[in-house]
Amino acid sequence: MNIKAAYDIEHVSSTSKIDHELWLLDEINPKAARFPCCLVWTPLPVVSWLAPFIGHVGICREDGVSLDFSGSNLVNVDEFAVGAVARYLQLDRKQCCFPPNLSGHTCKQGYQHSEFGTAMTWDDALQLSNRQFEHRTYNIFTCNSHSFVANCLNRLCYGGSMSWNMTNVAALILFKGHWVNSTSIIRSFLPFTVVACLGLLIVGWPFLIGLFSLSFLLLGWYLLGTYCVKGLLEC
């Protein structure tokens, strides 16, 4: 009985500690641009007009403030680089690994996680990645906003994975994200629709073939660079 009681006390204490560390988040508030522990996405001018699945992505702190890598040696804080958030996905902090020491990993990637760099809290992970990318050169093809978010998720070992990259980050927000409102949908797809219609009217079907070929080439580049040519898209 004493052993059971001691276990219960230790379990309650441990649970209380976790609950204290993972305090309740504020509600998502698009009007105030606050998206606690969310991935956020918005279309890129010109680029998204031609390939609407490509956009600019960021990640938000626990207080909802966004961070996004938008240029060489530049990580924006609370100033999303290319406009208001159009799409978001709130992540579960309980799927992160916050080891207090080398033996405190809750993930199965303990050694790899420690070698990459760990953090004690969600905000700590974002801050460490922020410092790292303040010394990185931006390139939309090899080192972009998705690379920064992937770095944050690897530092968090989110979902028990250390394999986050720009491709699966893009897929995550694309397939699981939520639209902020109907205006965001229009803002994301209207320019592409206008470009496609004008091209069809002026040039004809060859324009659409070229437009979709461009999309497939971009998609192929990111898939090839991520999964076939090791190190090509690392930054």
Side-chain angles (χ1 to χ4, degrees):
M1 292 295 292
N2 291 335
I3 294 176
K4 184 178 185 300
Y7 170 79
D8 289 342
I9 292 172
E10 182 179 355
H11 177 72
V12 170
S13 175
S14 175
T15 304
S16 299
K17 182 179 179 181
I18 293 173
D19 290 342
H20 174 70
E21 291 175 350
L22 302 182
W23 60 80
L24 291 175
L25 300 174
D26 292 334
E27 293 291 327
I28 292 172
N29 185 353
K31 291 183 178 180
R34 291 293 180 266
F35 299 86
C37 293
C38 287
L39 301 186
V40 289
W41 180 94
T42 196
L44 277 170
V46 182
V47 178
S48 297
W49 301 355
L50 304 176
F53 60 89
I54 294 179
H56 183 74
V57 69
I59 188 168
C60 298
R61 299 187 320 212
E62 290 174 308
D63 61 1
V65 170
S66 66
L67 285 81
D68 62 291
F69 180 52
S70 59
S72 296
N73 309 318
L74 176 63
V75 177
N76 287 317
V77 179
D78 199 18
E79 189 178 349
F80 209 39
V82 290
V85 172
R87 199 169 175 84
Y88 68 92
L89 174 66
Q90 190 165 50
L91 302 182
D92 183 3
R93 290 171 297 170
K94 292 181 181 180
Q95 293 191 45
C96 301
C97 177
F98 301 119
N101 49 57
L102 291 176
S103 61
H105 286 269
T106 58
C107 63
K108 296 181 180 179
Q109 315 286 337
Y111 176 77
Q112 186 182 0
H113 191 195
S114 297
E115 191 176 40
F116 183 87
T118 63
M120 295 294 292
T121 66
W122 176 279
D123 285 354
D124 185 35
L126 269 58
Q127 181 61 29
L128 290 170
S129 293
N130 184 358
R131 291 175 183 171
Q132 186 176 347
F133 273 74
E134 284 178 343
H135 306 284
R136 295 291 173 86
T137 301
Y138 184 93
N139 186 312
I140 193 171
F141 296 108
T142 59
C143 186
N144 54 39
S145 60
H146 293 73
S147 307
F148 171 69
V149 172
N151 186 279
C152 293
L153 295 182
N154 284 325
R155 197 176 298 278
L156 292 164
C157 198
Y158 186 75
S161 174
M162 291 289 300
S163 301
W164 292 101
N165 52 61
M166 64 172 68
T167 303
N168 53 25
V169 165
L172 181 64
I173 190 70
L174 180 65
F175 293 112
K176 293 190 175 182
H178 307 284
W179 294 105
V180 171
N181 49 41
S182 56
T183 303
S184 299
I185 301 175
I186 296 171
R187 184 162 57 89
S188 299
F189 291 105
L190 181 60
F192 171 77
T193 304
V194 171
V195 169
C197 290
L198 286 176
L200 182 61
L201 288 172
I202 298 171
V203 180
W205 288 105
F207 179 84
L208 288 185
I209 294 172
L211 189 61
F212 285 112
S213 296
L214 174 63
S215 295
F216 281 117
L217 282 173
L218 289 172
L219 182 60
W221 165 262
Y222 290 119
L223 290 174
L224 179 70
T226 299
Y227 299 109
C228 298
V229 183
K230 186 177 180 180
L232 181 62
L233 301 187
E234 292 182 2
C235 65

